[in-house]
Amino acid sequence: MNDILIQMTHWTTIPTDEKINKTSESLKANGISPLIVDSGKDAEKTILSLIPQGASVMNGSSTTLKEIGFIDTLKKNTHGWNNLHEAMLGEKDPAKQNLLAKQSTMADYYLGSVHAVTEQGTALIASNSGSQLPAYAFNAGHVIWVVGAHKIVSDLDEGIKRVYEYVLPLESERAHKAYGVPGSFVSKLLIFNKENVPDRITMILVKEKLGF
């Protein structure tokens, strides 16, 4: 039991500023624009400053975005954006809804989070459906990831370990409560080493435990 508690604490601890800054520099070298903020509230303010009025906006399922208040802000429709998620959920025809979901990966701005980020600037995103991965990898004009700094890991091996030993059990619990399904699964795992399009990806690193 003590070993489990030590491991859980390890996965939820905010690292030193030195480690956060090192990770930030590595992200920059890999074509990902890093922004470091102190709180979830600051992260939401940063998002609002990055997305212009009239832009099409889509978000993947994200506990982090919910915790910082962005999902509530998006639902209020006072931002002047084209809310693609709302349009998709409002479509009752399953075939048309599926088409809108695919088209939404080409949003001007696609928001979400990652499940681990290495000190070398590699991001890991685990998914059961894989619905958000095309947007992250290529389709979206811009991607904004909001990432609690507790998700920083030493290397890729530790990142994969974090996904399976920490993230998956918590996501399975969330999915069971939300949808009544037995649990979740790492059906797809995106390892994002580098972005080749300048200024396409922004990662907001938050010095606060957000999401898992």
Side-chain angles (χ1 to χ4, degrees):
M1 180 63 72
N2 287 337
D3 289 343
I4 295 174
L5 290 175
I6 290 171
Q7 188 73 344
M8 292 288 282
T9 301
H10 171 66
W11 297 135
T12 57
T13 300
I14 301 298
T16 63
D17 284 351
E18 181 182 6
K19 184 175 286 190
I20 294 172
N21 291 335
K22 177 184 176 182
T23 303
S24 174
E25 289 302 313
S26 296
L27 289 166
K28 193 182 301 182
N30 292 343
I32 298 171
S33 302
L35 297 172
I36 301 172
V37 299
D38 290 326
S39 68
K41 184 177 293 187
D42 292 333
E44 188 188 20
K45 289 179 180 177
T46 301
I47 290 172
L48 297 177
S49 71
L50 290 173
I51 306 177
Q53 286 202 352
S56 60
V57 175
M58 181 64 181
N59 63 282
S61 177
S62 170
T63 301
T64 299
L65 292 182
K66 184 177 181 181
E67 288 179 351
I68 68 171
F70 177 77
I71 300 301
D72 289 336
T73 297
L74 193 59
K75 290 178 179 177
K76 290 176 184 176
N77 282 325
T78 57
H79 36 64
W81 305 326
N82 178 12
N83 184 348
L84 299 182
H85 204 157
E86 182 181 57
M88 183 187 72
L89 294 178
E91 177 55 63
K92 302 307 178 186
D93 182 285
K96 291 181 180 178
Q97 188 180 70
N98 185 51
L99 178 60
L100 287 174
K102 291 176 179 177
Q103 292 173 340
S104 71
T105 67
M106 297 185 286
D108 295 327
Y109 287 82
Y110 200 107
L111 292 93
S113 189
V114 308
H115 296 111
V117 54
T118 74
E119 292 181 45
Q120 297 77 40
T122 294
L124 287 81
I125 305 99
S127 179
N128 194 359
S129 70
S131 60
Q132 76 277 47
L133 302 186
Y136 293 166
F138 183 78
N139 285 4
H142 297 84
V143 173
I144 300 174
W145 287 322
V146 182
V147 182
H150 65 295
K151 297 182 181 182
I152 293 175
V153 295
S154 59
D155 54 29
L156 185 58
D157 286 342
E158 188 183 358
I160 292 174
K161 190 175 181 181
R162 185 181 198 279
V163 166
Y164 282 94
E165 294 186 6
Y166 178 71
V167 176
L168 180 58
L170 291 176
E171 174 57 21
S172 290
E173 182 181 357
R174 185 200 70 81
H176 178 67
K177 289 179 179 178
Y179 311 118
V181 297
S184 190
F185 194 79
V186 182
S187 300
K188 290 98 176 178
L189 179 63
L190 176 63
I191 298 175
F192 203 104
N193 290 317
K194 184 180 181 181
E195 174 53 49
N196 297 316
V197 179
D199 302 320
R200 192 180 85 90
I201 306 251
T202 299
M203 183 181 289
I204 303 173
L205 285 168
V206 190
K207 296 179 182 180
E208 194 174 273
K209 182 185 176 296
L210 295 167
F212 42 82

